[in-house]
Each structure stands twice: as C-alpha cells, then as structure tokens.
Amino acid sequence: MVMPKSERDLARNGDGGIYAHVVGWGMAVPDMILTNHDLEAIVETSDEWIRTRTGITERRIASERESTASLGLRAAQRALDIADVLPTEIDLIIVATSTPENIFPSAASLIQHRLGAVKAGAFDLSAACSGFVYGVEMANQAIRSGSITTAVVIGSETMSRILDWQDRSTCILFGDGAGAVVLRASNTPGGVLSAVLRSDGSGADMLSIPTVGSEDLSNSYFLASEHRMFKMYMNGSEVFKFATRVIGESILEALHKAGLTLNDVSLVVPHQANARIIQSAARALKLDVDRFVSNLDRYGNTSAASIPIALCEAIEQGRIKENDNLVFVGFGGGLTWAAMVLQWGVPPAIEGFAGSRIKRQRRRASYFLARWGMRLQRWGRTINRFTNRLLGRSEQKD
C-alpha cells in the first residue's frame, strides 16, 4: 500500500519540527575469544554442529575485571568522541540490558557517574534482545517532545554470567559486548522516522531468567525441572518460530509508518540471534540476504548489544552512506519485538563541530576526575565508618 503524499510527509516530519539524529556510535567487546572448539571441552557439542545450526564460530567472553557497566562505558566514550559531545551536554543515558551488575543502582547510573555526565538522568531498560531499539525510541520521543537535546543509548551485556554452561541449547549461542549511539536534536529532517514496539507476555516461559522474587520459587514444576535460578532458560524451537514470524511483520509495519517501502531500504540491521532466522526473514521479505548485516559468526548473540555492534561494524565497512534508510529490528524475551526506520546522516550544523581538540581533552579530564572522585568518596566513607567504630568502642569503654 502506497501512503498518500500528505500522510507520508506527516509520518516523516511529525508535528514538532524536531528530529533525533544519530551523531555518534561506538562499540566495545572483550579481548577473550571462546571458539566452538573451546566449547567442545565444556559441553557435548562440536564446531560443525554449532556452525550449521546457528552460524556462530566464536564469541567474546568478559574477564573478571569487565562488567556490563565497564563495557557500556567504553562504547559510550567512543560514541561521544565521534559525536564530539561533552559529558556535561548529555541529558539522558539509557542502558538496555538483561545483565546488570545490580538490581540497583542501574548500570546507566554507574556509567553516568564514570562519564562525568553530571546533568544527565539515567536508567536501565529491560526488554531483552529488543532493548536497544526500545531505548532509541524512548530517547527519540524525549528529543522530539523538546524535553531533552542529547541522549546516549547503550546496549550492553555480559551474557556469559547468566548462562548454564552445561546447557548446550543456550551456552553455545551467547557472547558479551556493548554498543552505543549518541542522539541529538536537530531541525534538519531525517534521523529516526518511525518505530514499532510490541510485547506478548503469554510467551514469558519461552525465554527467561528467573531471579529474586520470581513466582517460580513456589512452583513445584519449576523446582522439579532442570531450570536454575539466575540462569537462562530458552525453548529454542518456539523462539525460532516466534522470531521468523515477527521480523517481517514489524519491518513492514515500521516502513508503512515512515511512508516507505522495502525498495527504499538500503540496509537491515537485525538482532544477531541465529543465521537461519536472518536468512528466513530475507526470504519472507524477498530481499537479498546481503542487505542484512550479520556479524553473528564472530560475536554470537550479544542480546541488547547486538544491533549497535552490528551498526558500528557496518559503518566501519562503508556499508552505510548519507541519506540511506536503515531498519533496526530486534526480538527476544518478554516476549518483545521492535522495529525502527532511520534515515542516516549527521546534520551539517552538528557535523561542523566534530573533531575539536579542546573537547577531546575536556572529555578525558571528565573521565579522570569522575574516576578519582569516586575513589576518594569511597575512601572517605570507609574512613568515616572506621572512625565511627573506634569512637563507639571508646564510648563503650568510658
């Protein structure tokens, strides 16, 4: 269906004249590589079995010193360098993740402090593998409303921490990493054109990580099963059926909202879950599979981080050009799914400020001061606790 011109213009331009453009991007992955051959020593599987069924050859695994927040911080810093944005200019930080270090504080708050983004609000968003698209749309709506000007959206995961390494249906699939984008307000048309966010909680038992407060704690079936608290469970065949159905539907719906067709799409950046899912989506949409970005073979499924990591690599490879129409599409636990249409291009008014040496130095100073400020605060609290204990003991003796 071709949308009338007036409706198409309204879909593209909205009614506020403010557009959210991606002006910076960055990724960070651990150095440690776990190959399929390495997995053969951990669980009953083989390199051929994994490659033929998933398309994965290797994945990255976080070290003991790395975390969801530290990987997200590195990705955000690289995105800020490209955007040439100071931490003090950030209004909002959103971290899409299923693997935060804490229930609270959020990974976003930890990153906000380590960046020195003293004027930014920050929160984590839980929508599993769809989380990054959800996060970008939340930031887009805040920018279009005029309430903020600059946002950092991060997808960051340490999936290796929540895997049951004896469950070959999940442990072969996932890896760790982070990707981030900087969104800025502009009067130049483009940027995020449309988004579709969906959920179906009836499929909650198909992909889950039971944790504190879970009703499964009192479920005799769960307790008698092989499911483990704080470890991922997935019904692979059902998730596969779900994913192959919703990818095409959500892409077409997002394009319709943007007033575009598949012929207008330059590149699809999908969640990196399984090579067969991507191939199935390409067939269903009658698109050449080369129009889908895929780096699954080297990183595995990095959940909310997969789309921004794939985006960064597509940019580095020169696959994305000015005014290209891109589609992001994610799907995962919840069940959730999301698609977004974005017109690529940094507005000239923003692009002209890129590469400032003074801003680079100020960013480095902000990171340094935040790091040492946090350490000094912790040392101060430790000294206060020690002093209070000594005073308390002294009062007891008196």
Side-chain angles (χ1 to χ4, degrees), residues 240 276-289 292:
F240 185 93
R276 293 192 297 166
I277 291 176
I278 295 174
Q279 293 161 2
S280 175
R283 286 195 301 270
L285 293 168
K286 296 181 173 57
L287 290 176
D288 192 315
V289 74
F292 287 71

Side-chain angles (χ1 to χ4, degrees), residues 2-166:
V2 178
M3 193 181 296
K5 187 176 187 299
S6 59
E7 189 177 353
R8 182 164 63 245
D9 290 343
L10 179 62
R12 287 183 177 178
N13 300 332
D15 57 2
I18 302 175
Y19 308 86
H21 286 263
V22 173
V23 299
W25 50 90
M27 60 174 281
V29 294
D31 292 330
M32 187 185 303
I33 297 174
L34 183 70
T35 68
N36 292 346
H37 294 294
D38 294 329
L39 279 170
E40 291 175 355
I42 299 173
V43 67
E44 186 180 347
T45 189
S46 69
D47 172 61
E48 182 184 6
W49 192 91
I50 298 172
R51 280 189 295 103
T52 56
R53 286 163 177 77
T54 69
I56 301 169
T57 301
E58 60 186 37
R59 68 287 292 147
R60 302 298 180 100
I61 302 296
S63 70
E64 291 181 358
R65 297 181 62 84
E66 291 174 311
S67 69
T68 294
S70 69
L71 290 170
L73 174 68
R74 283 162 48 195
Q77 288 173 334
R78 290 167 184 170
L80 290 171
D81 282 344
I82 289 176
D84 201 26
V85 166
L86 294 173
T88 51
E89 297 177 272
I90 302 170
D91 300 305
L92 179 64
I93 298 172
I94 301 173
V95 174
T97 185
S98 298
T99 55
E101 292 99 303
N102 315 289
I103 294 176
F104 62 83
S106 66
S109 290
L110 299 178
I111 292 171
Q112 172 267 323
H113 177 71
R114 294 171 189 175
L115 287 174
V118 294
K119 299 178 182 178
F123 67 91
D124 286 356
L125 187 154
S126 177
C129 307
S130 311
F132 179 76
V133 181
Y134 268 69
V136 173
E137 175 61 1
M138 297 300 99
N140 169 53
Q141 292 298 329
I143 287 172
R144 290 177 68 87
S145 73
S147 64
I148 69 169
T149 299
T150 304
V152 177
V153 181
I154 304 164
S156 185
E157 302 282 14
T158 45
M159 301 300 292
S160 60
R161 307 265 164 85
I162 51 87
L163 294 176
D164 178 351
W165 288 97
Q166 299 305 310

Side-chain angles (χ1 to χ4, degrees), residues 201-224:
S202 68
D205 60 331
M206 289 162 51
L207 181 55
S208 65
I209 307 170
T211 185
V212 177
S214 172
E215 63 181 10
D216 288 330
L217 285 171
S218 58
N219 185 321
S220 59
Y221 169 76
F222 174 83
L223 294 173

Side-chain angles (χ1 to χ4, degrees), residues 184-246:
R184 295 206 84 171
S186 171
N187 293 323
T188 303
V192 178
L193 301 181
S194 71
V196 173
L197 309 181
R198 296 288 184 268
S199 177
D200 179 9
S202 68
D205 60 331
M206 289 162 51
L207 181 55
S208 65
I209 307 170
T211 185
V212 177
S214 172
E215 63 181 10
D216 288 330
L217 285 171
S218 58
N219 185 321
S220 59
Y221 169 76
F222 174 83
L223 294 173
S225 72
E226 296 180 355
H227 302 183
R228 294 174 58 192
M229 295 299 294
F230 309 110
K231 298 299 180 182
M232 178 185 294
Y233 164 77
M234 181 174 69
N235 184 328
S237 60
E238 291 301 318
V239 171
F240 185 93
K241 293 175 187 176
F242 152 73
T244 53
R245 174 176 58 83
V246 301

